[in-house]
Amino acid sequence: MALHQGGQRPESSRHTVNPMLTEASPAISEDIQLPYASLPDGPIPPEAAYQLVHDELILDGNAKLNLATFVTTWMEPQAARLMAECADKNMIDKDEYPQTAELERRCVAILADLWHAADPTTTIGCSTTGSSGVHVGRDGAETAVGGQGA
């Protein structure tokens, strides 16, 4: 099944800006809607755009209560701050961000050591996101050692 499927979203399911936001800032129009299939003709005030996305994402639930995963979704505030500080980096451009590439190399070595690689400093790896990347890495390690378990 595809992750995303096209089609029209029913008009009734569209969200508008939180009334508390527009009442606190009358300059923001209450009829601003979260774009569905195309960008709006005009700009959306940054606080309204944030609130629209925030209100939509809050429907996902609380990640701290996700018991369907083997890893925790909580992290220290300092880690969240570091992620926010690096959000504008093009992480694939290793030449432009050599220190980020070096930290990534160290993380690969640390994970290789945790998985008992023969020489963690020469292990080849790459960045990924989410717990699925851990599964893929483990499965690849098992395949590399002939199914002996990594």
Side-chain angles (χ1 to χ4, degrees):
M1 182 174 148
L3 292 176
H4 303 284
Q5 201 167 12
Q8 291 290 31
R9 180 181 228 183
E11 193 65 32
S12 62
S13 71
R14 292 188 175 210
H15 302 285
T16 58
V17 175
N18 182 334
M20 296 300 288
L21 175 68
T22 56
E23 288 176 19
S25 179
I28 300 173
S29 171
E30 285 189 45
D31 64 353
I32 296 174
Q33 294 182 343
L34 188 62
Y36 177 65
S38 62
L39 292 174
D41 292 332
I44 296 176
E47 187 59 32
Y50 166 82
Q51 194 66 50
L52 282 166
V53 175
H54 173 81
D55 289 350
E56 183 115 342
L57 291 176
I58 205 161
L59 298 173
D60 277 346
N62 185 341
K64 293 178 186 175
L65 301 177
N66 181 1
L67 301 178
T69 183
F70 70 97
V71 294
T72 181
T73 53
W74 182 89
M75 68 177 138
E76 287 79 6
Q78 295 85 350
R81 193 166 67 230
L82 281 171
M83 289 175 63
E85 290 170 358
C86 295
D88 62 343
K89 288 184 179 181
N90 179 358
M91 302 303 276
I92 200 67
D93 190 349
K94 308 296 186 193
D95 293 330
E96 183 68 23
Y97 304 105
Q99 198 55 43
T100 300
E102 170 58 17
L103 287 173
E104 180 182 59
R105 187 201 60 75
R106 291 182 203 171
C107 288
V108 167
I110 290 167
L111 289 172
D113 183 58
L114 286 172
W115 289 106
H116 306 291
D119 183 2
T121 61
T122 61
T123 299
I124 297 172
C126 66
S127 55
T128 184
T129 59
S131 60
S132 298
V134 175
H135 285 299
V136 170
R138 192 193 113 257
D139 293 346
E142 275 189 1
T143 301
V145 297
Q148 298 170 11

